Amino acid sequence: MAQFDVHRNIGKQREVIPYVVIVQSSLFDSYRRRVVIPLVRRSNLDNAAAVVGAALNPVFVVEGVEVVLHPLEVVSIAIDQLGEKVTTLAQEGD
């Protein structure tokens, strides 16, 4: 697990939030939790909820699904609650 890896959301809201992205630094890899930001289906957001495409809410395509980074919902979750890794956004790290 590395910073900017995208994992499937296996939680209750997986239809609206199909993925999460790890934003935690590798300096904390020894901890059993990871800080993640939800990647929300773009179709589930109205422009009032997030300024889609703005610097804080960039749009990504993951497995053919348009998703929006939703940093106001940052959370820490246990490693065993992360679904499988599907891709990385390391190239978008800046």
Side-chain angles (χ1 to χ4, degrees), residues 3-6 60-62 87-94:
Q3 187 177 41
F4 306 124
D5 281 355
V6 175
F60 304 102
V61 177
V62 177
T87 192
T88 182
L89 296 177
Q91 71 281 3
E92 306 289 339
D94 289 340

Side-chain angles (χ1 to χ4, degrees), residues 38-79:
L39 293 171
V40 179
R41 283 184 191 272
R42 186 174 186 171
S43 60
N44 286 91
L45 286 178
D46 59 21
N47 286 333
V51 182
V52 175
L56 284 176
N57 301 104
V59 177
F60 304 102
V61 177
V62 177
E63 297 186 314
V65 178
E66 275 195 319
V67 291
V68 178
L69 186 75
H70 207 301
L72 294 179
E73 299 295 327
V74 66
V75 67
S76 168
I77 63 173
I79 290 173

